[in-house]
Amino acid sequence: MKISYNWLKQFLQIDWDAQKTGELLTDLGLEVEGISQFESVKGGLKGIVVGHVLTCEKHPNADRLKLTTVDVGQEAPLQIVCGAPNVTAGQKVPVATVGTTLYTKEGEAWVIKKGKIRGEVSQGMICAEDEIGLGESHDGIMVLNEELVPGTPCSKVFEIENDEVFEIGLTPNRSDAMSHFGVARDLKAGLEQKEIQKELVTPSVSNFSIDNRSLKVDIEVLESDLAPRYCGVTISNLVVQDSPDWLKNRLKAIGLAPINNVVDVTNYVLHELGQPLHAFDASKIKGNKVEVKTLPAGTKFTTLDEVERELHEDDLMICDAGSPMCIAGVFGGLHSGVTEHTTSIFLESAYFDPVSIRKTAKRHGLNTDASFRFERGIDINMTKYALKRAALLIREIAGGYITSEIADLFPKKPQERQVFLTFNKINSLIGQEIPQDTIKSILSALEIRINNVTESGLGLTIPTYRVDVTREVDVIEEILRVYGYNNIDFKEKLNASIAKSSRFENYRIQDVIGDTLAAKGFFEIMTNSLVSSDIASEDESAVQMLNPLSSDLSVLRNSMLHSGLQTVSYNHNRQKTDLKLFEFGKTYHKVDGNHQEKQHLAIFISGERTQSSWAVASKRSEFFYLKGIVENVFERLGIRDIDTKPLTDSDFAEGVSYVKNDKVLVSLGLVGKAALKRFDIKQEVFYADLDWDAILECVSTQNIAFKEIPKFPEVTRDFALLLDDSVSFQKVYDIAWNTEKKLLKKVNLFDVYTGKNLPDGKKSYAVSFTLMDEKKTLTDKQIEKIMGKLLSQYQKELGAELR
């Protein structure tokens, strides 16, 4: 939010420099992020002086140029070549001397230099009004008052306004400070704490009067809950034209482009008092009636930006007797606004429901100065005062007459909020005792009325402009920010209590695993939980946003895979193809009408596992590298006795899952081609999805059990099985356990081969079997017998062959 210092001084006569004022505003909670300079004429006419044209002759080498000598108050006159048709001897003119910087309409700078034009020396430039920013005309040079003295700086001839503009980072709760008046009110309270008493000057509306009652517009509010207060008045016989310079400069200083005197006044009062207003061309209001209501869903309405919009059934509209004219509190209509042909207006000032305005603005993708204020809550008691202020300004600069009574529809006045403030609570929260007289003076400066005083505290009435102050702690916050955070002393002795926390806290476990992965060369990523509906899985569990920021961010992700693949694709497109990434995040699901959040750890590997060097050859990332990383995570967390099972998931081409106590802890494998194609990824990506909730449960319930190390060794035997493509590892896995239940301890798939030297429709599985007898050493005869039984079953049930 931009605040003009000159404008601020209209409310508060202060002679501090802008830097010092900015520091006080920051201390008050209105953080000044920067201070910029504003000049009503860019460059401030620096280097441009009054010149007296002594001679004017035809240029000897050009028909359309003239050779002049000009007195600019120096020892000798300057010779200047000029192409303007109206230059003659005896004129007083603005002259840009050598070294002066001028600016184009687009703001580009260029410097006046001494040079030759068609063989004649030119030592400056006689200027037209558009060349120095004093107008739009380029028909000829400016001719100044004959009484001016040559050499006088033009900055003293013309009224050039120089201003300093504060850029304030306004927090959403401070709707009371969304105007120059609101900032001045805070500044006054801050100055009083420094024992500087300044009067807060408010614009007077005491001379508001009705000139006649020749133009009445009836008002009917059909949705009083959405428009608790609505005011309006008519002004006739006005002339729409450019605004005076003072008004243009005020708006330009805060980054607004002047439009015309009527619209400029509504914008001026908006930024002066924080109350949005809207002016309608009264001649375009059918039936001389204004209706505030909602319209059926799907109603078409064209806004000022010439965009036809489809209305929602909850959008509050300002209508005449026949059609909508304006989206209330958000944006005006194309056909009801003020133009250069307007001679009478209906001026609106209202209070609209903040929630309704925010929803409407988001639905239509509109963010205006008016909606910005309505959304955060304005002062409902400012409505009529601001209307009078605007009406008087319009009558002053556009002429005309006030031709109706002020219609003020305010059926249900809000009750004033009452808060009891205890002194003990103030001292306990702030940590320092503030004198009661100081507390009272701060509350008085903030217009918080003190109703009664007791030994324990104060009974207060909160003004309506402070919509965010509803509780005792809110009042204490107001006292503290005006008293000054910097005025709170730090004690030499600090007391702190040590909070007992479990070593199984989520953040602790995440830090441990994050450090483990980072030590192995992984980088942590943080992706957006919002994804496109095209990316999210097409199932009923997807959670749709009711008010999405855009169509690309309209669904809460129900898989970590898609947002991670977006990151992989982003890096691949920038020649970063060797990736090792991990992310802690959540997915969102709708199950039986209820919303659920699940925590995950996602791991992505793509490209080369190691970089090549003179000593080490590069090594491609593979499934077993990812598998080793996941097992290392389990080992670091102390999770053991995990079973592996084949994975059937459309997102994976091949994969396995790790299961403990019938819960799937991890799904990992090679990402399927369909998923890669969706993100235009052309190389393999390996992905592991760890169910972090299940892992935390395992970690927190993991009992450390000690048992004797088996005295007898494990034995591992391998089969290279030639199988049909249709055979899954699940079948191989199940047959093994059904065949040998006593001595078989593990079944592991450690290689899959499809390619050359294999018959069509065949693939090769390399499967390892771990055997152990805890009571004795296995003999070769026992091992061969078990392996023979396994092979026999594979041949019988799967038609397997040994390679």
Side-chain angles (χ1 to χ4, degrees):
M1 182 184 71
K2 293 185 177 182
I3 295 294
S4 156
Y5 199 18
N6 287 349
W7 200 341
L8 201 61
K9 289 177 181 177
Q10 292 181 195
F11 295 99
L12 211 61
Q13 296 298 319
I14 181 173
D15 55 3
W16 284 8
D17 62 68
Q19 188 65 37
K20 188 176 180 180
T21 302
E23 291 172 358
L24 179 55
L25 288 173
T26 298
D27 289 343
L28 290 166
L30 302 177
E31 183 180 0
V32 176
E33 299 175 340
I35 303 174
S36 58
Q37 302 296 319
F38 168 77
E39 296 170 326
S40 58
V41 175
K42 192 170 181 62
L45 301 182
K46 185 178 180 180
I48 303 173
V49 299
V50 175
H52 181 202
V53 181
L54 301 176
T55 63
C56 180
E57 300 174 355
K58 182 179 175 299
H59 192 292
N61 302 317
D63 294 336
R64 297 185 179 182
L65 298 179
K66 295 181 181 179
L67 195 62
T68 66
T69 54
V70 184
D71 177 10
V72 293
Q74 298 178 4
E75 293 182 0
L78 303 178
Q79 179 173 291
I80 299 175
V81 176
C82 180
N86 63 328
V87 61
T88 59
Q91 292 175 330
K92 298 290 177 65
V93 293
V95 177
T97 55
V98 172
T100 299
T101 300
L102 299 181
Y103 298 87
T104 65
K105 290 182 179 180
E106 292 75 25
E108 296 180 6
W110 58 288
V111 180
I112 300 295
K113 299 179 180 179
K114 180 180 179 180
K116 286 187 176 183
I117 301 177
R118 293 293 184 92
E120 295 293 335
V121 173
S122 184
Q123 298 170 293
M125 175 177 167
I126 304 175
C127 301
E129 64 178 33
D130 68 325
E131 292 169 332
I132 55 177
L134 292 175
E136 298 294 330
S137 175
H138 193 71
D139 295 337
I141 60 169
M142 288 187 72
V143 179
L144 306 178
N145 192 313
E146 294 182 357
E147 297 179 0
L148 294 174
V149 177
T152 303
C154 283
S155 58
K156 294 183 178 179
V157 176
F158 301 98
E159 293 185 5
I160 306 300
E161 180 163 350
N162 296 304
D163 198 356
E164 292 162 301
V165 181
F166 301 107
E167 184 69 44
I168 294 179
L170 193 67
T171 54
N173 65 308
R174 293 302 308 278
S175 60
D176 63 295
M178 294 187 298
S179 64
H180 286 75
F181 176 66
V183 173
R185 181 169 47 203
D186 255 24
L187 186 57
K188 176 181 182 295
L191 290 171
E192 288 185 0
Q193 291 309 299
K194 298 182 178 296
E195 299 183 352
I196 301 174
Q197 299 295 326
K198 293 290 182 180
E199 180 185 359
L200 185 63
V201 180
T202 56
S204 174
V205 294
S206 59
N207 60 341
F208 179 87
S209 61
I210 301 166
D211 298 309
N212 59 65
R213 294 172 175 79
S214 59
L215 180 57
K216 180 184 178 183
V217 173
D218 295 323
I219 301 173
E220 184 177 6
V221 178
L222 301 178
E223 300 287 347
S224 58
D225 289 341
L226 302 182
R229 188 174 191 183
Y230 191 90
C231 301
V233 71
T234 63
I235 304 174
S236 303
N237 294 353
L238 50 78
V239 178
V240 177
Q241 55 189 0
D242 285 346
S243 297
D245 288 341
W246 69 265
L247 179 53
K248 288 182 179 179
N249 291 337
R250 286 285 179 267
L251 297 180
K252 288 178 181 178
I254 58 173
L256 296 180
I259 299 173
N260 59 54
N261 49 6
V262 173
V263 175
D264 290 350
V265 166
T266 62
N267 287 331
Y268 179 84
V269 174
L270 166 69
H271 289 275
E272 179 185 51
L273 302 177
Q275 170 66 52
L277 302 108
H278 191 76
F280 299 90
D281 188 327
S283 66
K284 297 176 183 177
I285 300 176
K286 299 174 184 176
N288 279 359
K289 184 175 182 179
V290 168
E291 296 179 349
V292 184
K293 60 183 181 180
T294 57
L295 295 174
T299 302
K300 305 294 185 181
F301 179 67
T302 304
T303 46
L304 274 172
D305 55 1
E306 299 184 3
V307 174
E308 184 179 73
R309 304 178 188 275
E310 191 172 292
L311 300 180
H312 187 273
E313 58 187 5
D314 294 330
D315 292 339
L316 187 65
M317 302 296 296
I318 311 300
C319 308
D320 59 20
S323 58
M325 300 188 295
C326 174
I327 302 178
V330 179
F331 212 30
L334 179 63
H335 304 297
S336 62
V338 174
T339 69
E340 66 272 15
H341 305 297
T342 300
T343 58
S344 59
I345 63 169
F346 171 73
L347 188 61
E348 166 199 278
S349 179
Y351 178 94
F352 298 119
D353 176 65
V355 175
S356 171
I357 297 301
R358 178 168 177 78
K359 287 182 177 179
T360 295
K362 289 297 180 184
R363 270 194 292 266
H364 297 291
L366 295 170
N367 183 23
T368 61
D369 284 339
S371 68
F372 178 83
R373 286 158 177 78
F374 279 127
E375 288 173 14
R376 287 156 178 77
I378 61 173
D379 183 4
I380 197 170
N381 289 327
M382 178 68 74
T383 306
K384 188 174 181 178
Y385 170 75
L387 183 68
K388 288 183 177 181
R389 169 67 169 159
L392 288 173
L393 282 174
I394 290 173
R395 187 170 66 176
E396 175 186 337
I397 66 175
Y401 306 97
I402 297 174
T403 51
S404 74
E405 301 275 1
I406 290 181
D408 185 5
L409 280 69
F410 196 10
K412 187 178 180 180
K413 293 178 174 56
Q415 293 184 349
E416 295 180 320
R417 293 189 300 278
Q418 307 293 323
V419 172
F420 187 77
L421 179 66
T422 57
F423 296 124
N424 287 338
K425 188 71 170 179
I426 297 173
N427 298 335
S428 65
L429 282 183
I430 294 178
Q432 178 175 314
E433 186 173 348
I434 298 178
Q436 292 186 18
D437 289 341
T438 302
I439 293 172
K440 293 175 184 177
S441 68
I442 291 174
L443 294 174
S444 177
L446 294 174
E447 299 180 14
I448 298 177
R449 190 167 72 247
I450 301 174
N451 299 322
N452 56 73
V453 182
T454 66
E455 291 184 0
S456 60
L458 306 171
L460 308 174
T461 298
I462 310 300
T464 53
Y465 74 81
R466 286 313 304 266
V467 296
D468 62 316
V469 179
T470 59
R471 306 165 297 168
E472 183 181 15
V473 291
D474 297 328
V475 178
I476 295 173
E477 182 184 6
E478 291 299 293
I479 294 170
L480 180 56
R481 71 177 182 83
V482 176
Y483 181 74
Y485 293 98
N486 296 332
N487 294 326
I488 303 300
D489 296 327
F490 287 94
K491 297 179 180 179
E492 293 183 0
K493 180 182 178 182
L494 296 177
N495 297 322
S497 58
I498 299 175
K500 182 180 179 181
S501 61
S502 170
R503 63 190 180 95
F504 300 117
E505 291 285 349
N506 187 6
Y507 75 91
R508 290 177 181 268
I509 307 298
Q510 285 193 20
D511 285 346
V512 168
I513 299 305
D515 291 343
T516 300
L517 292 172
K520 294 182 178 297
F522 282 77
F523 289 90
E524 185 172 8
I525 60 174
M526 297 177 67
T527 60
N528 200 332
S529 296
L530 294 170
V531 297
S532 169
S533 58
D534 295 335
I535 294 176
S537 298
E538 298 175 358
D539 57 41
E540 296 180 356
S541 70
V543 180
Q544 301 283 340
M545 297 294 293
L546 294 176
N547 56 340
L549 297 173
S550 69
S551 59
D552 292 335
L553 301 171
S554 60
V555 179
L556 284 166
R557 67 182 174 196
N558 55 4
S559 170
M560 297 292 292
L561 175 63
H562 303 123
S563 52
L565 288 180
Q566 282 184 307
T567 302
V568 172
S569 175
Y570 183 89
N571 281 272
H572 282 188
N573 292 336
R574 287 155 182 80
Q575 288 77 52
K576 301 294 182 181
T577 56
D578 302 331
L579 302 173
K580 291 193 285 187
L581 310 171
F582 73 95
E583 177 181 14
F584 290 99
K586 291 183 178 181
T587 59
Y588 307 85
H589 311 267
K590 186 166 60 178
V591 180
D592 297 329
N594 298 318
H595 293 97
Q596 295 182 356
E597 294 183 11
K598 296 181 180 179
Q599 298 184 89
H600 297 261
L601 167 59
I603 301 175
F604 297 87
I605 300 174
S606 182
E608 299 295 331
R609 172 180 168 182
T610 58
Q611 296 295 322
S612 62
S613 68
W614 65 271
V616 180
S618 63
K619 189 173 183 180
R620 198 74 176 168
S621 297
E622 58 181 357
F623 169 82
F624 295 100
Y625 175 58
L626 177 61
K627 185 171 179 287
I629 294 294
V630 171
E631 290 179 351
N632 189 255
V633 169
F634 288 146
E635 183 179 351
R636 184 66 182 85
L637 295 176
I639 302 176
R640 298 177 179 86
D641 300 325
I642 307 171
D643 297 325
T644 59
K645 290 186 177 181
L647 176 64
T648 55
D649 190 316
S650 60
D651 286 330
F652 292 89
E654 294 282 352
V656 296
S657 59
Y658 284 74
V659 181
K660 184 178 176 65
N661 299 330
D662 296 327
K663 287 187 176 180
V664 176
L665 300 186
V666 184
S667 298
L668 64 97
L670 175 65
V671 178
K673 292 182 179 179
L676 297 179
K677 185 177 180 181
R678 179 181 294 179
F679 295 92
D680 195 27
I681 298 173
K682 296 179 176 59
Q683 71 180 37
E684 291 182 334
V685 177
F686 298 93
Y687 165 60
D689 180 15
L690 287 77
D691 186 333
W692 196 248
D693 291 314
I695 289 174
L696 290 176
E697 185 179 342
C698 286
V699 172
S700 61
T701 58
Q702 187 82 6
N703 294 320
I704 300 176
F706 298 90
K707 64 180 181 179
E708 186 179 355
I709 298 174
K711 297 179 180 179
F712 306 100
E714 293 180 343
V715 176
T716 301
R717 292 291 186 268
D718 301 338
F719 279 155
L721 298 173
L722 187 63
L723 301 165
D724 292 337
D725 277 338
S726 60
V727 176
S728 67
F729 175 61
Q730 180 72 53
K731 292 181 180 179
V732 176
Y733 182 87
D734 291 341
I735 290 172
W737 286 105
N738 291 332
T739 303
E740 177 57 49
K741 298 180 179 179
K742 183 179 178 181
L743 301 179
L744 183 63
K745 301 301 179 183
K746 293 180 184 177
V747 179
N748 185 41
L749 174 67
F750 64 88
D751 189 30
V752 178
Y753 177 72
T754 58
K756 294 181 179 179
N757 303 323
L758 290 183
D760 292 340
K762 296 289 185 177
K763 64 182 176 182
S764 175
Y765 271 180
V767 185
S768 66
F769 304 88
T770 302
L771 307 172
M772 187 183 73
D773 189 334
E774 296 180 357
K775 297 180 180 180
K776 61 182 180 179
T777 301
L778 290 172
T779 64
D780 289 342
K781 186 176 180 180
Q782 287 176 297
I783 297 169
E784 293 301 327
K785 183 179 178 181
I786 294 172
M787 296 306 293
K789 284 168 55 180
L790 289 172
L791 179 58
S792 176
Q793 286 300 113
Y794 288 139
Q795 291 172 337
K796 179 181 177 181
E797 297 188 30
L798 303 179
E801 299 177 31
L802 283 180
R803 289 188 64 206

